Amino acid sequence: MTDHATYPDRIVTPAIVAALVTLAGFLAVAMAGNGGVFEYPLDDVYIHLAMAERIASGGYGVNAGEYASAASSPAYPLLLTPFAGSGAQRWLPLFWNAVSLVVAAGLLATILREAGIGRAAFWLVIAAPAALSLYGTAYAGMENMAHTAASLAIVLGLWRFATFGRVGWLLLGGVFLAPAFRIEGLALAFAAGGVVALLGRPLAGAGLIALAAVPVAVFAGFLTMLGLDALPNSVVAKLSDQGSGGGGILARASANLANNASAYGGRYLLALCVVVAVVSIGTLMKDRRAGYIGLAVAAAGLAHLAFGSVGWLDRYENYAVVSAFAVLALLLRPASDFLKTGVLTVALVGGFLTYGPYVDNNMANMRAIHQQQSQMARLVKDHVKVPVALNDIGYVAWQNPNYVLDLWGLANGDALSFRLAGDCKTWVDVLADNHGVQLAMIYDDWLFCNLGPNWQKIGVLSVT
């Protein structure tokens, strides 16, 4: 019989295996529904691959000789630069997401071990990759899985600081890497610096806040040096697509929070944050160190709901969801095994009920990208071979020597400015003429009033 005291020490490997098996099984089923063909479920992955291709050749954008900030992540495109120009580059997003998934699963298992969970820890780490949509975040192929791993490093690093009084490499690495992968990472990283300051180390806390700001400041400075806006086009587009709303920043944040909380992922995150906040407040009188950490994580989650996005394969909010679950386990450390196991089991069941009904839809994204963007790319690269204009540029822009005009504006600042102005003017004609565009593949209901009278529809792509 396994000794109770050592049993939790053996959960890291099962956690990693469970995470990889869950991802592999999901990919296998999704590929079976796509004729056995592997595909990324988002065109955004190919935007990052196209950006990486230009970075490797000394540029920054999706077209040769034209600077553009089509990627919101400062660091992720850099990881995709190896093998640029070859077919091997296409597998890098899957590779890095598998690596990030392994790191995240290992960190989560370590957190449950340090939370003093007994035998149930084994089953919790087996269920967590599916319940918390870790597999779905990795499946998306974007930088979000790395952001989740960095966020767990912050949570565990903070806990160890509160326990041992040392700012370790885990905390330093998480604070730097979280905003390097996603600008939203500033919330949890800044909160971590605040906790360290509150716990009697103000200089160390200020240093952590400064460290978190470095990758974002360097990225903004780099964009400005290229003559671009300090905020990437993709971030500006997402903020605008959320709706500017009326009133000041508080009114807009409240409206965005209400909108996010109406989505299934947002409701789950909100529930976790409320539970963590309540438990943290109850913990403050007994252990202010643990209480501060819990409140910091809950505040970062609420900040995401107020200023960020949820959805799109449930990847945007995943870091906040997993961090909240992790810190909840740590906060419950003094409780009985029965109470800890019960609360965490309910949290995971909530995750299953939240994300489970949408598994089929997420799988179908692979088939949708293959039937749309993949076929558009084949048409352009293998047959048409002329400058084109699109709404979704990633697959078509990647490994394409001809010009690709992004009418949605992620890779073209002029198009973004025109589109966000909201005027029904034929600006598409001007940009198309300027870049010699001979073919457009667009959702015409998105840009119908922006097209001139001479446009001729020559076909419709129908998706089964």
Side-chain angles (χ1 to χ4, degrees):
M1 182 177 292
T2 305
D3 183 75
H4 178 80
T6 62
Y7 191 86
D9 292 334
R10 303 175 184 175
I11 64 174
V12 173
T13 298
I16 292 172
V17 171
L20 290 176
V21 168
T22 304
L23 174 62
F26 188 84
L27 286 173
V29 176
M31 288 172 61
N34 194 34
V37 177
F38 171 79
E39 191 53 82
Y40 291 108
L42 293 167
D43 187 60
D44 305 56
V45 179
Y46 291 98
I47 295 178
H48 285 71
L49 285 169
M51 289 283 296
E53 196 174 22
R54 293 300 165 212
I55 293 171
S57 64
Y60 194 80
V62 300
N63 292 300
E66 180 181 79
Y67 295 131
S69 54
S72 58
S73 172
Y76 191 57
L78 300 177
L79 296 180
L80 306 182
T81 54
F83 312 115
S86 73
Q89 187 201 17
R90 180 172 181 260
W91 298 101
L92 287 176
L94 181 61
F95 169 77
W96 287 119
N97 271 274
V99 170
S100 300
L101 179 62
V102 166
V103 174
L107 287 172
L108 184 59
T110 303
I111 287 170
L112 291 180
R113 182 180 64 197
E114 298 200 7
I117 310 296
R119 287 182 175 275
F122 178 84
W123 301 109
L124 291 174
V125 298
I126 296 296
L132 300 178
S133 194
L134 287 169
Y135 72 92
T137 305
Y139 163 69
M142 298 290 283
E143 71 276 6
N144 306 90
M145 192 68 250
H147 182 200
T148 295
S151 299
L152 285 172
I154 292 175
V155 173
L156 182 55
L158 263 183
W159 188 261
R160 288 181 173 176
F161 167 79
T163 303
F164 303 110
R166 296 191 301 271
V167 177
W169 288 107
L170 199 61
L171 181 56
L172 291 170
V175 162
F176 180 81
L177 289 175
F181 284 116
R182 293 288 300 179
I183 295 176
E184 298 101 306
L186 286 173
L188 185 55
F190 282 177
V195 169
V196 170
L198 285 172
L199 294 181
R201 297 282 298 279
L203 290 180
L208 288 173
I209 291 173
L211 179 65
V214 166
V216 178
V218 170
F219 186 45
F222 171 72
L223 295 181
T224 303
M225 183 182 69
L226 296 180
L228 304 171
D229 292 335
L231 203 60
N233 286 350
S234 54
V235 174
V236 174
K238 287 185 178 71
L239 291 174
S240 300
D241 292 341
Q242 289 174 1
S244 59
I249 187 172
L250 290 179
R252 293 174 60 181
S254 297
N256 195 54
L257 192 153
N259 182 59
N260 283 334
S262 68
Y264 63 89
R267 288 194 296 270
Y268 182 54
L269 174 58
L270 180 60
L272 281 175
C273 288
V274 169
V275 171
V276 169
V278 170
V279 175
S280 299
I281 293 171
T283 303
L284 279 174
M285 295 298 294
K286 300 177 181 178
D287 186 351
R288 68 185 184 94
R289 298 171 300 171
Y292 285 157
I293 294 173
L295 288 175
V297 174
L302 293 174
H304 183 89
L305 289 171
F307 299 101
S309 301
V310 301
W312 290 99
L313 298 183
D314 312 309
R315 73 187 197 274
Y316 287 136
E317 72 274 14
N318 185 257
Y319 78 98
V321 166
V322 178
S323 296
F325 176 81
V327 84
L328 179 61
L330 292 168
L331 289 170
L332 292 172
R333 179 179 173 83
S336 66
D337 281 356
F338 178 79
L339 179 60
K340 285 185 286 193
T341 301
V343 172
L344 296 178
T345 299
V346 169
L348 291 184
V349 169
F352 276 116
L353 295 177
T354 297
Y355 300 115
Y358 300 92
V359 168
D360 288 343
N361 289 343
N362 290 343
M363 285 183 177
N365 269 50
M366 179 183 287
R367 184 168 65 251
I369 294 298
H370 181 65
Q371 292 188 344
Q372 294 177 78
Q373 285 83 356
S374 176
Q375 306 312 315
M376 291 157 58
R378 288 179 61 196
L379 174 64
V380 169
K381 298 174 190 177
D382 297 344
H383 303 285
V384 178
K385 299 180 181 179
V386 299
V388 296
L390 303 100
N391 297 129
D392 292 331
I393 61 166
Y395 218 141
V396 174
W398 178 59
Q399 296 189 342
N400 183 0
N402 296 302
Y403 189 86
V404 176
L405 173 61
D406 180 10
L407 296 179
W408 203 242
L410 303 187
N412 188 289
D414 291 333
L416 181 63
S417 298
F418 280 125
R419 183 173 69 82
L420 296 184
D423 295 329
C424 198
K425 298 177 180 178
T426 56
W427 55 266
V428 172
D429 297 44
V430 176
L431 295 181
D433 288 342
N434 289 344
H435 296 288
V437 169
Q438 300 181 43
L439 174 70
M441 294 183 288
I442 61 173
Y443 302 118
D444 52 5
D445 57 333
W446 289 11
L447 293 163
F448 180 76
C449 74
N450 303 123
L451 304 179
N454 296 325
W455 287 79
Q456 177 65 50
K457 180 182 288 188
I458 61 173
V460 176
L461 175 62
S462 298
V463 178
T464 56

